[in-house]
Amino acid sequence: QVQLQESGPGLVKSSETLSLTCTVSGGSISSSSYHWGWIRQPPGKGLEWIGSIYYSGTAFYNMSLKSRVTISVDTSKTQFSLKLISVTAADTAVYFCARQGWGDAYSVIDCWGQGTLVTVSS
Amino acid sequence: QSALTQPASVSGSPGQSITISCTGTSSDVGNYNLVSWYQHHPGKAPKFMIYEVSKRPSGVSNRFSGSKSGHTASLTISGLQAEDEADYYCCSYAGSSTLVFGGGTRLTVL
């Protein structure tokens, strides 16, 4: 059974870069059937899709974050990563990594990490 | 890419049925039958409940059902149980390989 685990600093200073990594275990990150995504939830608010990446390296982003976000994949380490630059307090959130389907199943998010809280401090 | 609109909260008594709406636009819900629903107990990972508007993945109770009319998708939970109390989110494909979530609905079982 596929498991995802987020890792990275829980505290980031304002204007700096947020960096998180998701490690995939129990399954292949190079499967052609899935994309690998990042989703966040600010405190007291709803979920927000950040973006996703295919094993080939092709990435897709939420247009509202596109200028600040980069998602990358390292198939040799079975990991994919999120970088968000120029963070502000509004980027404080629980960040989830997740597995999304491919094609018509793109909106199917069938496996999630437990989430990691990242706080942006001034 | 604005968030889909969901009611902030709904409630029902055990055994009753409730419906949660999810309203989008012609750019997302209205244009694609690619709406999914997620159950989220705070502090845990969200759980995938419905996909492609009305399909249930294996292991999800048939008390959960989904539908869509125009720009609005709906999740119905019948025979409410205490363990159904959670936050529920809709999610729609929004074109160009992007997704949009709803703002979430807190379900309270009275």
Side-chain angles (χ1 to χ4, degrees), chain B residues 24-88:
Chain B
T25 69
S26 58
S27 296
D28 37 64
V29 176
N31 198 33
Y32 305 98
N33 288 323
L34 298 176
V35 176
S36 52
W37 288 88
Y38 300 87
Q39 177 190 65
H40 188 205
H41 290 101
K44 295 190 174 182
K47 180 183 177 183
F48 165 49
M49 306 299 286
I50 295 285
Y51 68 105
E52 291 181 28
V53 174
S54 60
K55 297 180 181 178
R56 268 189 316 275
S58 61
V60 171
S61 170
N62 60 10
R63 297 186 299 105
F64 292 82
S65 61
S67 62
K68 191 187 91 165
S69 177
H71 298 167
T72 299
S74 299
L75 173 71
T76 297
I77 308 173
S78 59
L80 271 180
Q81 299 179 1
E83 59 262 35
D84 298 333
E85 186 162 291
D87 297 324
Y88 290 85

Side-chain angles (χ1 to χ4, degrees), chain A residues 45-119:
Chain A
K45 297 188 177 181
L47 299 172
E48 179 180 34
W49 182 78
I50 299 170
S52 69
I53 193 163
Y54 199 51
Y55 77 95
S56 61
T58 301
F60 305 97
Y61 301 113
N62 185 325
M63 292 302 294
S64 67
L65 296 170
K66 189 172 184 177
S67 63
R68 297 195 293 130
V69 173
T70 301
I71 298 175
S72 58
V73 63
D74 186 335
T75 55
S76 66
K77 294 183 179 179
T78 66
Q79 294 177 333
F80 60 105
S81 299
L82 169 71
K83 288 192 188 301
L84 181 65
I85 66 171
S86 305
V87 297
T88 69
D91 295 309
T92 293
V94 173
Y95 286 76
F96 296 95
C97 62
R99 185 176 78 173
Q100 294 179 221
W102 180 87
D104 280 353
Y106 191 73
S107 66
V108 174
I109 307 170
D110 66 347
C111 187
W112 299 67
Q114 285 297 310
T116 187
L117 175 63
V118 179
T119 302

Side-chain angles (χ1 to χ4, degrees), chain B residues 17-28:
Chain B
S17 295
I18 61 95
T19 296
I20 299 171
S21 62
C22 168
T23 300
T25 69
S26 58
S27 296
D28 37 64

Side-chain angles (χ1 to χ4, degrees), chain A residues 20-62:
Chain A
L20 295 174
T21 295
C22 182
T23 301
V24 179
S25 59
S28 175
I29 199 171
S30 299
S31 169
S32 60
S33 298
Y34 301 106
H35 286 78
W36 304 94
W38 289 96
I39 294 144
R40 69 180 183 179
Q41 183 178 33
K45 297 188 177 181
L47 299 172
E48 179 180 34
W49 182 78
I50 299 170
S52 69
I53 193 163
Y54 199 51
Y55 77 95
S56 61
T58 301
F60 305 97
Y61 301 113
N62 185 325

